[in-house]
C-alpha cells in the first residue's frame, strides 16, 4: 500500500468527481496545466477524456528540460569535453539535442557523463574521486533548486573544492506572466504545480488572480487530486468568480517551506535567462551569488559557445505557451518523433508532445 | 592458480589448460565436455530442433537474485522454451578482461553449473579469450542453445486471432529494479530480487497439457510494452491496467524513480497467448509452479486498433502503450 | 515539473533520514526540513525531503468531495 498515493487513485471516487464536473460545466473552459508532471498524469490516466467536452486542458511551460535552451545544452557538452571533468545530470537531460550532439552522444564518444537521481549522489562522487572535477547540471524550478542550494552549502561547509554546478534553474512567476499576458491568450484558469507550491506556498499566485484575472488551483498529481482541482476551478468559472484555491493541502501549506526558500535566497539571486521557445525572460532564472562563485561552472571554466538557433519549422515555443496543441504542429509524428525529436517538447519524457505521442490519442 | 586472470590464461598454453581444468571443468564437466574435442558430437533422433544465441554483459555482474552466469543459462533456456522446444545443449564463450579475479570467475561458473542442472541442460562446448585491461568490462558471456521439439505444434505470431487471452507469468519489473538498486548514483535498499529463472519445465507442462497455445515470448529488456508491441503486428491488443501484476516493492521503487513498470526489464517472465477456452487451464498450470505463482490474465487480442497496444486505465479510459524509444531512465520531473 | 513521492521516515542519523516507500528504502538528506521526526511522512524529490505530509489534511481531500459531491 503506497500511503498518500493509493487513496487518491480510488477510481470510483475519481469517476464520481468527473461526473460532477460534467454536470456542473455548461460553457467552454480553457485550463492550463502548468507542470509537465500534470501533463503526464492527465494523459497517463486519460483525465482529459472524462471531464466533458467543454473543458480543454492545455499544457504549459512547466517542464524544466523542455525549456532548457539549445545554447545551454551546448555549454553542458562543452564542459564535458574538459579534461578530468565528470559531468553529472538528471536522466531527463540525456537525450536533449544540442547544436551538434546530445549528452548521450557525448557519452558514447567517451566523455565521463553520469546520470544521477540526486545532486547528493554527485557530492558523493566529489568526495571519493578527488582527482576529478564533478560538475552537476542544475535544472529545475522552485522544487529542485533548494536541493541544489543545500548541496552547494554542504560543499562550502565541508570544504569540497572539486564540485561545481552549471546553473540552469528557472522560476515560475515571470514565465507565467509572459504566457498569460499575451493578447490572444485564451487561458481561463491555471492548474498550479503542486510540488513547486510545497516550497513557494500559495502567495506566489496572487498576482495571477488579482492582476491578470486568471483563477488558480494548486493540485496534486493523482486522479482524485487533479479532478478535485478541476472541479473547484469549474465551480468558479461557471459563476464568473476569480479565485485562488489549494487542493493539495496535505503537502502545500500557505507559507510553503520557509527553510528551503531561505536557503535558495542565500545561494542564488534572480537573473535573466533564455527559455527555449521564448527567448530571454527578465528575472526568470537564477545565478550563484558571489559568496558561492567558486562553485559556478561558468566561472570555473571559460566556456564560450556560439549562439544557437532553433529549427524554424519547430512550433515548440507556441506549444509551451499553450497557443498550439501538438497535433497543430506539422512536424508532430512525422519529422518529429521520440526517436528523432526536432524540438524539446518531444525530447523530454515530460514534454507536451512526448506525452501526446506516448499516451497517444486513439 | 593465481588470483587474477591474466593474458597468459588466454594464450592457449599451459595456463589456459589449467584455467579450463581447475575452473570450467571442475563445475561444468560432463561426458561430452570432458572429451575436450573441438566440437561436441550429439545424437539427435529425427524431428525439429530449435537453435538460439544470446550475449550477456549485465552490470553489476552480481546482483540481488542472481549473477551473469545464472542469467546466461536461464536466458538461453527461456529463449528455447518459448519456442516450444525442450532445451538440451548449451555452448558458452567467455571474454574476460585481464585482472578479473579468478574467485569471481569461479562463483560465476559454479552458478552456471547449478542452473544448468536445475534446467536439465548440458554445457557441451566452451571457449575462453582474455583481453587487455580496458578492452572489456570485467566479463562478457555469449551462449548458443539447442532444444528438441517433441511435438509438431506450430507456435507463431501468425497463429494469434481475435479473442485470444494474454497471460503474463508473474510480476513485472523485478529484474530492472534489482539491477538499478545497485547501480552507482542510485543506491537504494530493497527486498527486490531479480526474477531470473529457468522456465522450461513450467512451459513444457503448458505445451504438454494440450492447451491451444498460439504464441509465447520471454519478456526481457524493453519490458512488457516492447514484447506486446512486437506481437501486435497484424492484430490489436487491449490490456487492463488493473490486472497488471506489480509487486509492492517494485511499485515503491517505480514511484520513487518516476519509472513505468511496463517498460522495465524482466529475466524470468513470459507472455502466453492462448485460445480463450484454454485460459483457465494454462493459468492453473502456471500458478501451480514456483516461477508462475503470480501469473495473471492481463488482456486479450482484439480486431480493432490493429498494430496498436491499448491500455484500459483504472478510470476506464483507453489509451496507447507505445514501444519505448530509449533506455527508461529515472527522472525528476 | 517535479516528480515527488511521499515516504515514511523510519530512521534518522544526524542530517540523514532513512525513508521507506512500500518496501524500498533510501537515504535522504533533511537539510530542507524543520524538526523531522521518525514516523512522519515526507515528500521526497530528487533525493531530498522537501516537505512534510500532513495526515490530518490528507483526509480532507477525500472527505471534501464525499460531502460536496452529494449535493453537486
Amino acid at each position: 500500500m503506497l500511503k498518500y498515493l493509493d487513496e487518491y487513485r480510488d477510481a470510483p471516487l475519481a469517476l464520481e468527481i468527473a461526473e460532477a464536473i460534467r454536470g456542473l460545466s455548461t460553457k467552454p473552459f480553457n485550463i492550463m496545466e502548468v507542470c509537465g508532471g500534470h501533463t503526464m498524469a492527465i494523459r497517463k490516466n486519460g483525465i482529459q477524456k472524462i471531464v466533458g467536452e467543454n473543458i480543454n486542458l492545455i499544457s504549459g511551460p512547466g517542464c524544466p528540460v523542455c525549456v532548457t535552451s539549445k545554447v545551454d545544452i551546448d555549454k553542458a557538452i562543452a564542459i564535458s569535453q574538459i579534461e578530468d571533468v565528470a559531468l553529472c545530470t538528471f536522466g531527463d537531460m540525456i537525450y536533449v539535442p544540442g547544436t551538434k550532439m546530445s549528452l548521450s552522444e557525448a557519452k558514447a564518444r567517451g566523455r565521463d557523463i553520469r546520470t544521477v537521481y540526486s545532486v547528493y549522489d554527485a557530492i558523493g562522487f566529489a568526495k571519493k574521486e578527488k582527482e576529478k572535477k564533478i560538475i552537476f547540471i542544475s535544472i529545475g524550478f522552485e522544487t529542485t533548486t533548494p536541493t541544489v542550494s543545500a548541496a552547494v552549502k554542504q560543499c562550502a561547509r565541508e570544504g569540497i573544492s572539486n564540485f561545481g554546478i552549471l546553473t540552469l534553474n528557472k522560476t515560475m512567476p515571470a514565465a507565467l506572466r509572459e504566457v498569460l499576458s499575451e493578447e490572444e491568450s485564451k487561458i481561463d484558469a491555471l492548474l498550479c504545480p503542486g510540488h513547486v507550491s510545497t516550497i513557494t506556498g500559495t502567495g506566489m499566485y496572487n498576482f495571477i488572480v488579482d492582476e491578470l484575472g486568471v483563477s488558480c488551483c494548486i493540485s496534486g498529481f493523482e486522479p482524485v487530486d487533479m479532478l478535485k482541482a478541476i472541479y473547484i476551478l469549474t465551480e468558479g468559472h461557471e459563476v464568473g468568480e476569480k479565485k485562488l484555491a489549494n487542493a493539495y493541502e496535505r503537502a502545500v501549506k500557505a507559507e510553503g517551506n520557509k527553510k528551503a526558500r531561505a536557503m535558495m535566497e542565500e545561494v542564488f539571486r534572480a537573473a535573466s535567462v533564455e527559455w527555449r521557445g521564448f527567448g530571454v525572460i527578465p528575472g526568470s532564472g537564477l545565478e550563484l551569488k558571489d559568496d558561492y562563485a567558486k562553485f559556478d561552472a561558468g566561472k570555473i571554466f571559460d566556456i564560450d559557445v556560439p549562439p544557437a538557433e532553433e529549427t524554424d519549422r519547430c512550433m515548440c515555443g507556441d506549444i509551451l505557451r499553450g497557443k498550439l496543441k501538438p497535433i497543430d504542429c506539422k512536424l508532430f509524428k512525422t519529422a518529429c518523433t521520440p526517436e528523432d525529436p526536432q524540438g524539446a517538447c518531444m525530447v523530454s519524457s515530460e514534454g507536451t508532445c512526448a506525452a501526446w505521442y506516448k499516451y497517444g490519442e486513439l | 592458480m593465481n588470483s587474477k586472470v591474466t593474458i597468459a590464461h588466454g594464450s592457449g598454453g599451459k595456463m589456459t589448460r589449467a584455467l579450463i581444468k581447475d575452473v570450467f571443468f571442475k563445475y561444468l564437466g560432463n561426458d561430452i565436455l570432458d572429451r575436450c574435442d573441438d566440437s561436441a558430437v550429439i545424437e539427435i533422433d529425427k524431428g525439429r530442433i530449435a537453435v538460439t544465441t544470446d550475449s550477456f554483459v549485465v552490470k553489476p555482474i552480481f546482483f540481488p537474485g542472481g549473477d551473469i552466469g545464472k542469467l546466461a543459462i536461464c536466458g538461453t533456456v527461456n529463449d528455447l522454451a518459448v519456442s516450444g522446444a525442450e532445451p538440451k545443449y548449451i555452448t558458452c564463450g567467455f571474454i574476460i578482461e585481464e585482472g578479473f579475479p579468478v574467485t569471481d570467475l569461479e562463483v560465476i561458473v559454479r552458478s552456471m553449473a547449478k542452473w544448468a542442472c536445475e534446467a536439465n541442460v548440458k554445457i557441451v562446448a566452451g571457449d575462453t579469450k582474455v583481453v587487455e585491461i580496458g578492452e572489456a568490462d570485467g566479463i562478457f558471456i555469449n551462449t548458443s542453445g539447442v532444444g528438441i521439439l517433441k511435438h509438431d505444434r506450430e507456435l507463431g505470431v501468425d497463429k494469434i486471432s481475435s479473442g485470444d487471452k494474454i497471460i503474463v507469468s508473474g510480476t513485472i519489473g523485478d529484474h530492472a529494479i534489482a539491477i538499478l538498486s545497485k547501480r552507482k548514483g542510485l543506491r537504494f535498499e530493497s527486498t527486490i530480487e531479480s526474477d531470473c529463472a529457468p522456465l522450461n519445465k513450467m512451459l513444457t507442462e503448458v505445451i504438454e497439457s494440450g492447451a491451444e497455445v498460439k504464441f509465447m515470448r520471454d519478456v526481457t529488456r524493453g519490458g512488457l510494452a516492447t514484447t506486446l508491441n512486437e506481437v501486435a503486428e497484424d492484430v490489436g491488443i487491449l490490456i487492463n491496467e488493473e490486472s497488471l501484476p506489480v509487486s509492492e516493492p517494485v511499485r515503491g521503487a517505480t514511484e520513487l524513480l518516476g519509472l513505468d513498470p511496463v517498460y522495465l526489464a524482466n529475466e524470468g517472465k513470459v507472455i502466453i497467448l492462448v485460445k480463450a477456452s484454454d485460459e483457465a487451464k494454462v493459468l492453473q498450470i502456471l500458478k501451480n509452479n514456483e516461477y508462475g505463482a503470480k501469473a495473471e490474465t492481463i488482456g486479450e487480442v482484439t480486431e480493432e486498433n490493429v498494430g496498436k497496444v491499448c491500455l484500459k486505465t483504472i478510470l476506464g479510459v483507453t489509451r496507447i502503450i507505445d514501444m519505448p524509444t530509449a533506455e527508461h531512465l529515472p527522472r525528476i520531473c | 515539473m517535479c516528480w515527488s513521492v511521499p515516504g515514511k521516515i523510519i530512521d534518522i542519523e544526524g542530517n540523514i533520514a532513512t525513508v521507506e516507500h512500500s518496501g524500498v528504502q533510501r537515504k535522504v538528506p533533511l537539510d530542507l526540513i524543520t524538526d523531522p521526526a521518525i514516523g512522519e511522512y515526507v515528500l521526497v524529490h530528487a533525493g531530498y525531503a522537501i516537505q512534510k505530509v500532513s495526515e490530518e489534511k490528507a483526509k480532507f481531500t477525500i472527505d471534501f468531495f464525499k460531502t460536496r459531491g452529494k449535493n453537486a
Side-chain angles (χ1 to χ4, degrees):
Chain A
M1 160 68 178
L2 286 162
K3 192 160 168 41
Y4 294 128
L5 282 181
D6 288 343
E7 308 94 320
Y8 305 94
R9 293 178 182 169
D10 174 342
L13 176 56
L15 293 171
E16 201 185 312
I17 303 174
E19 195 188 344
I21 293 170
R22 292 195 302 273
L24 202 59
S25 164
T26 61
K27 49 186 178 171
F29 186 22
N30 289 331
I31 304 175
M32 172 177 269
E33 82 261 2
V34 176
C35 165
H38 277 137
T39 301
M40 290 292 286
I42 287 166
R43 301 267 145 210
K44 193 166 191 252
N45 291 292
I47 299 251
Q48 79 282 6
K49 290 203 171 143
I50 58 172
V51 289
E53 293 311 321
N54 291 326
I55 291 175
N56 179 19
L57 294 171
I58 302 167
S59 299
C63 157
V65 173
C66 295
V67 295
T68 301
S69 69
K70 202 175 251 189
V71 72
D72 283 338
I73 299 290
D74 293 342
K75 275 186 202 155
I77 289 170
I79 293 175
S80 74
Q81 312 297 339
I82 298 166
E83 228 198 313
D84 300 334
V85 161
L87 199 68
C88 295
T89 176
F90 290 130
D92 317 47
M93 290 290 284
I94 280 284
Y95 300 112
V96 182
T99 308
K100 290 204 207 68
M101 65 180 105
S102 67
L103 287 166
S104 74
E105 281 147 3
K107 180 171 187 283
R109 292 164 195 242
R111 305 316 307 163
D112 184 348
I113 296 174
R114 309 175 190 181
T115 53
V116 292
Y117 170 66
S118 169
V119 63
Y120 191 68
D121 300 322
I123 295 178
F125 294 147
K127 285 181 182 171
K128 278 197 226 87
E129 302 169 57
K130 284 290 170 214
E131 75 298 348
K132 281 269 181 181
K133 194 76 182 163
I134 306 296
I135 302 296
F136 175 70
I137 305 178
S138 175
I139 63 161
F141 293 99
E142 289 87 341
T143 323
T144 321
T145 305
T147 70
V148 180
S149 311
V152 167
K153 277 178 63 112
Q154 179 185 345
C155 288
R157 201 169 51 242
E158 296 175 8
I160 299 171
S161 56
N162 60 331
F163 177 83
I165 66 171
L166 175 64
T167 309
L168 304 179
N169 297 76
K170 296 179 174 54
T171 50
M172 269 284 104
L176 286 178
R177 186 184 291 279
E178 169 99 8
V179 170
L180 296 172
S181 313
E182 302 238 350
E183 313 78 34
E184 77 277 16
S185 157
K186 40 187 171 39
I187 292 157
D188 304 313
L190 291 187
L191 194 71
C192 297
H195 293 137
V196 162
S197 309
T198 59
I199 303 294
T200 62
T202 58
M204 167 167 92
Y205 305 106
N206 287 333
F207 81 96
I208 296 178
V209 180
D210 307 337
E211 284 175 46
L212 304 175
V214 171
S215 273
C216 287
C217 187
I218 295 167
S219 166
F221 293 81
E222 301 309 321
V224 167
D225 290 319
M226 292 185 285
L227 287 163
K228 174 185 169 185
I230 294 171
Y231 180 88
I232 291 170
L233 286 171
T234 306
E235 246 184 350
H237 184 63
E238 286 300 317
V239 297
E241 181 203 357
K242 299 295 174 192
K243 61 183 177 183
L244 165 60
N246 175 9
Y248 193 37
E249 281 153 318
R250 65 179 181 281
V252 175
K253 298 196 190 85
E255 74 279 14
N257 181 335
K258 288 199 185 113
K259 187 175 181 188
R261 277 209 311 281
M263 212 175 271
M264 231 171 24
E265 274 135 28
E266 185 194 333
V267 173
F268 292 104
R269 59 170 171 252
S272 299
V273 296
E274 185 187 344
W275 291 52
R276 193 181 285 227
F278 283 78
V280 175
I281 303 176
S284 65
L286 295 171
E287 61 188 14
L288 282 167
K289 285 186 173 172
D290 302 339
D291 302 351
Y292 296 93
K294 65 178 173 19
F295 297 107
D296 186 341
K299 297 195 168 85
I300 300 169
F301 313 105
D302 59 16
I303 324 154
D304 58 24
V305 163
E309 0 72 49
E310 298 301 327
T311 31
D312 46 29
R313 294 186 302 147
C314 165
M315 302 286 192
C316 280
D318 290 337
I319 289 175
L320 286 169
R321 292 167 196 276
K323 289 164 73 179
L324 285 181
K325 290 201 153 105
I327 37 177
D328 304 327
C329 172
K330 292 190 293 318
L331 308 181
F332 181 62
K333 279 197 174 176
T334 52
C336 186
T337 62
E339 298 77 40
D340 182 17
Q342 298 306 309
C345 296
M346 180 61 87
V347 167
S348 156
S349 59
E350 240 197 37
T352 311
C353 302
W356 278 61
Y357 191 98
K358 187 174 174 186
Y359 301 121
E361 301 299 309
L362 270 173
Chain B
M1 193 76 210
N2 38 15
S3 67
K4 298 283 184 195
V5 174
T6 63
I7 290 288
H9 283 120
S11 62
K14 274 206 196 101
M15 295 275 282
T16 306
R17 306 239 56 80
L19 186 73
I20 289 172
K21 190 164 83 41
D22 298 343
V23 176
F24 293 110
F25 278 22
K26 178 176 169 191
Y27 298 105
L28 305 178
N30 56 55
D31 54 344
I32 298 173
L33 202 60
D34 295 349
R35 293 170 54 85
C36 279
D37 294 339
D38 288 334
S39 57
V41 176
I42 302 162
E43 291 289 335
I44 292 181
D45 40 34
K46 61 179 177 35
R48 297 176 298 162
I49 65 168
V51 185
T52 187
T53 183
D54 212 334
S55 298
F56 303 89
V57 294
V58 66
K59 287 286 168 298
I61 294 170
F62 301 103
F63 46 84
D67 57 72
I68 192 169
K70 177 182 181 183
L71 209 57
I73 297 298
C74 296
T76 311
V77 159
N78 292 346
D79 279 344
L80 294 169
V82 290
S83 324
E86 200 179 307
K88 284 285 179 203
Y89 307 106
I90 286 184
T91 75
C92 313
F94 296 83
I95 297 172
I96 307 173
E97 184 185 17
E98 185 185 12
F100 188 76
V102 173
T103 46
D104 284 0
L105 181 61
E106 208 162 348
V107 169
I108 291 168
V109 173
R110 198 167 53 232
S111 166
M112 292 175 80
K114 176 190 172 200
W115 289 100
C117 175
E118 161 86 6
N120 203 6
V121 292
K122 263 183 188 168
I123 294 170
V124 294
D127 174 65
T128 304
K129 292 290 184 302
V130 180
V131 295
E132 306 272 345
I133 282 191
E135 285 180 6
D137 190 358
I139 185 167
F140 298 149
I141 302 176
N142 175 273
T143 64
S144 61
V146 173
I148 315 283
L149 284 110
K150 287 191 173 151
H151 55 81
D152 48 19
R153 289 264 300 285
E154 294 274 338
L155 301 185
V157 178
D158 51 342
K159 300 288 177 298
I160 296 169
S161 51
S162 172
D164 289 345
K165 294 293 182 186
I166 303 168
I167 297 173
V168 70
S169 60
T171 55
I172 55 177
D174 302 348
H175 178 72
I177 298 300
I179 296 287
L180 273 175
S181 67
K182 294 293 169 249
R183 193 172 280 182
K184 240 186 349 181
L186 264 176
R187 270 275 164 285
F188 54 87
E189 298 315 314
S190 79
T191 54
I192 301 160
E193 292 202 341
S194 167
D195 58 350
C196 180
L199 306 179
N200 51 321
K201 287 178 185 157
M202 177 171 81
L203 296 182
T204 302
E205 246 183 277
V206 168
I207 294 284
E208 284 169 359
S209 74
E212 200 174 329
V213 172
K214 305 296 190 67
F215 177 77
M216 296 194 287
R217 174 157 291 173
D218 54 347
V219 185
T220 50
R221 267 165 300 167
L224 188 63
T226 299
T227 308
L228 290 175
N229 272 285
E230 286 165 356
V231 169
E233 261 145 34
D234 311 322
V235 289
I237 285 187
L238 180 63
I239 301 295
N240 296 314
E241 183 174 25
E242 255 161 348
S243 47
L244 287 174
V246 183
S247 72
E248 274 304 300
V250 168
R251 277 188 69 215
T254 49
E255 288 294 337
L256 180 64
L257 301 170
L259 298 170
D260 187 339
V262 298
Y263 291 114
L264 294 181
N266 308 275
E267 280 301 338
K269 295 292 163 359
V270 293
I271 53 162
I272 299 175
L273 280 85
V274 61
K275 195 156 182 267
S277 49
D278 285 336
E279 173 198 354
K281 181 191 275 189
V282 170
L283 259 181
Q284 200 47 47
I285 294 169
L286 297 178
K287 287 184 186 255
N288 291 341
N289 197 292
E290 178 193 357
Y291 301 133
K294 296 262 185 7
E296 291 287 347
T297 301
I298 56 170
E300 59 189 27
V301 179
T302 61
E303 262 150 24
E304 313 84 36
N305 305 318
V306 170
K308 291 202 170 69
V309 176
C310 296
L311 179 84
K312 195 157 183 243
T313 74
I314 56 169
L315 299 181
V317 173
T318 300
R319 65 157 169 87
I320 288 173
I321 300 185
D322 188 30
M323 185 97 79
T325 47
E327 195 196 354
H328 193 38
L329 291 169
R331 55 195 186 86
I332 61 119
C333 64
Chain C
M1 175 163 318
C2 321
W3 189 270
S4 176
V5 278
K8 185 175 183 178
I9 295 179
I10 56 171
D11 184 30
I12 295 180
E13 251 176 81
N15 178 37
I16 303 294
T18 302
V19 176
E20 198 245 341
H21 311 266
S22 102
V24 172
Q25 294 172 10
R26 201 168 191 280
K27 294 274 187 277
V28 170
L30 293 168
D31 303 48
L32 307 174
I33 300 294
T34 35
D35 34 7
I38 291 180
E40 281 185 328
Y41 274 78
V42 283
L43 277 175
V44 173
H45 166 68
Y48 282 73
I50 58 168
Q51 183 58 291
K52 288 184 182 184
V53 180
S54 138
E55 167 92 37
E56 170 240 343
K57 288 278 194 250
K59 260 169 80 321
F60 177 70
T61 309
I62 305 273
D63 302 342
F64 159 83
F65 195 73
K66 286 226 164 79
T67 50
R68 211 160 167 152
K70 290 294 163 303
N71 48 38

